[in-house]
Amino acid sequence: MAIDSFGRRIDYLRISLTDRCNLRCVYCMPEGGVAWKGHDEILSLEEIERFAGIAVEQGISKIRLTGGEPLVRYGVVDHIRRLRAMTGIEAIALTTNATLLPKFAADLREAGLERVNISLDSLDPAVYKDITRGGNLADALAGIESAFEAGFDPIKLNVVVVRSLEQDLFGFAKMTLERPLHVRFIEYMPVGDDANEGIEGALGAVGIEGAGCAGDNPGFHWTRADHVPSDDVLAKISRAGQAVGAGPLIGLERENAPGGWGPARYYRFADAQGTIGVISPLSHHFCSECNRLRLTADGKLRTCLFSDDELDLRTVLRSGTDDDVRAIIKTALDSKPESHNERVGTLRRMSQIGG
Ligand code: SAM
Ligand code: SF4
């Protein structure tokens, strides 16, 4: 079992398979993309599997593949098959924008992938196109259908709530009435080097002093005004549900919530097939329950989403022994901060960290 220096059990590893993506969501990437890492800088799938094998031995039992867009990484299906064959891995999940899922869903399921989280921020084709800078909503919706057809369970939909995008949040909530879909509203986070104002504003909002970063995404910046606390989202959806005779929202105990490895709080409308969750990293931070490590596509091990402290795993994987890798995991556990209060601000974007 892996326990960090604050007594938290660390059993969840998020692996970013690539820093590349076929979309350019305004809050995640600059319009022109980021400077992609060269082929040699990115861990090979074999290197990732070697690390996963050692991490599992040390107490990791759940793996999420993310990115960038993980489905643009060549060989992802067989990678999942090999990870799934490792003793000690309880489950593998994938976070995806779903646009490539129609092509991959059945094969991914057959390879042993259990769960998918699908990111979708608008059900309006024009707004979706704007948010993703060119994406086609029909592709993402087809991706959701293919996930159902392939038998994934649970299927979660992640919606990042950004006030100025004026998303129809109840439109998402309504989807849970008819389908066993778990819609989670995520607070917009000031991550990435456009987060200058964001870091100051967001952390000010929760009483933390922030560190500024340089901006390179002139079209879109995190602002304090764009951050919508999850409690406001829940109140709005509950009111809208009552107005159409579906509400109010009912809080769910953990045992009645869809299985998960993270900090979402769940609710449901009385007769709904699915649930509604909120993830509130800013308004209700959940550092005391943090159970995760993150591996970036270029082989850096991160102990906290909000900290740029990274351990250079790539060099060790390329020139070290398994014991050297174990030592890096131990260093990560020993140095994982108690909360994001200690260090704030990130130089890397979400697409480079994996969310
Ligand atoms: N491309 C995949 C996708 O979009 O699902 C996986 C990578 S993406 C970086 C992982 C998650 O991070 C997505 O759900 C995305 O919406 C979320 N995300 C990106 N930037 C964010 C931000 N600034 N605040 C909150 N969530 C963010
Ligand atoms: Fe790509 Fe996901 Fe970032 Fe959107 S949120 S740009 S789909 S990595």
Side-chain angles (χ1 to χ4, degrees):
M1 195 187 284
I3 305 286
D4 77 358
S5 50
F6 298 96
R8 294 171 296 198
R9 181 175 174 185
I10 309 300
D11 58 3
Y12 174 22
L13 176 65
R14 296 177 69 101
I15 300 174
S16 173
L17 286 185
T18 175
D19 57 343
R20 300 182 186 214
C21 187
N22 56 343
L23 299 179
R24 294 282 180 279
C25 301
V26 288
Y27 54 73
C28 181
M29 268 201 200
E31 192 158 13
V34 290
W36 306 130
K37 299 282 174 189
H39 187 68
D40 284 355
E41 291 177 274
I42 297 295
L43 291 185
S44 68
L45 297 180
E46 291 71 25
E47 287 166 339
I48 294 173
E49 287 157 27
R50 175 174 171 219
F51 176 66
I54 297 171
V56 165
E57 213 182 73
Q58 302 293 297
I60 294 293
S61 56
K62 302 158 190 155
I63 291 182
R64 176 173 300 282
L65 301 177
T66 172
E69 174 48 46
L71 297 182
V72 305
R73 177 83 194 243
Y74 183 74
V76 61
V77 172
D78 288 334
H79 180 55
I80 288 171
R81 197 187 314 282
R82 291 190 293 269
L83 288 174
R84 201 65 196 86
M86 287 178 187
T87 311
I89 295 190
E90 261 171 41
I92 301 182
L94 179 88
T95 300
T96 172
N97 63 36
T99 55
L100 298 171
L101 260 188
K103 181 170 166 204
F104 287 110
D107 290 346
L108 289 167
R109 185 84 188 104
E110 182 272 323
L113 182 73
E114 270 96 0
R115 302 152 169 259
V116 285
N117 286 10
I118 292 173
S119 307
L120 182 65
D121 300 315
S122 176
L123 294 169
D124 176 311
V127 178
Y128 178 85
K129 190 170 186 185
D130 282 350
I131 294 177
T132 56
R133 297 196 180 99
N136 180 5
L137 178 64
D139 294 342
L141 296 179
I144 296 174
E145 292 315 315
S146 69
F148 275 112
E149 279 159 27
F152 287 106
D153 183 28
I155 299 174
K156 296 179 180 172
L157 214 61
N158 289 349
V159 183
V160 178
V161 180
V162 181
R163 196 184 306 275
S164 59
L165 295 179
E166 298 181 353
Q167 296 142 297
D168 172 14
L169 302 185
F170 189 57
F172 282 109
K174 272 196 300 201
M175 294 169 86
T176 69
L177 295 172
E178 308 292 334
R179 312 210 57 182
L181 195 61
H182 306 286
V183 174
R184 292 121 49 88
F185 297 102
I186 303 177
E187 288 182 2
Y188 181 24
M189 289 179 256
V191 170
D193 57 0
D194 61 332
N196 190 5
E197 190 183 352
I199 294 293
E200 301 297 338
L203 298 166
V206 290
I208 301 167
E209 216 168 289
C213 311
D216 76 343
N217 192 12
F220 205 84
H221 290 274
W222 195 101
T223 64
R224 184 178 187 147
D226 263 342
H227 169 248
V228 184
S230 294
D231 289 347
D232 294 3
V233 171
L234 287 171
K236 190 172 175 184
I237 288 174
S238 198
R239 272 197 309 274
Q242 280 171 291
V244 299
L249 283 175
I250 303 160
L252 296 180
E253 298 298 330
R254 200 173 270 266
E255 58 271 21
N256 297 323
W261 312 332
R265 293 176 283 144
Y266 284 97
Y267 302 79
R268 80 180 322 146
F269 289 126
D271 296 321
Q273 295 203 37
T275 65
I276 292 168
V278 287
I279 301 180
S280 330
L282 297 180
S283 66
H284 294 268
H285 83 73
F286 33 74
C287 303
S288 65
E289 294 162 41
C290 187
N291 57 352
R292 60 195 65 185
L293 294 176
R294 292 178 165 82
L295 177 60
T296 66
D298 60 346
K300 306 288 189 272
L301 200 55
R302 289 178 74 104
T303 58
C304 174
L305 176 62
F306 288 100
S307 166
D308 279 309
D309 278 352
E310 297 182 335
L311 295 161
D312 180 10
L313 188 65
R314 187 179 68 201
T315 304
V316 174
L317 281 171
R318 291 186 179 170
S319 58
T321 63
D322 286 0
D323 275 343
D324 296 331
V325 177
R326 288 185 191 102
I328 289 261
I329 296 174
K330 178 162 180 0
T331 306
L333 295 174
D334 291 347
S335 62
K336 188 169 163 66
E338 184 174 16
S339 80
H340 62 57
N341 295 7
E342 292 180 10
R343 283 283 306 275
V344 293
T346 67
L347 296 172
R348 299 238 216 184
R349 297 181 163 281
M350 205 66 116
S351 62
Q352 296 170 309
I353 302 170

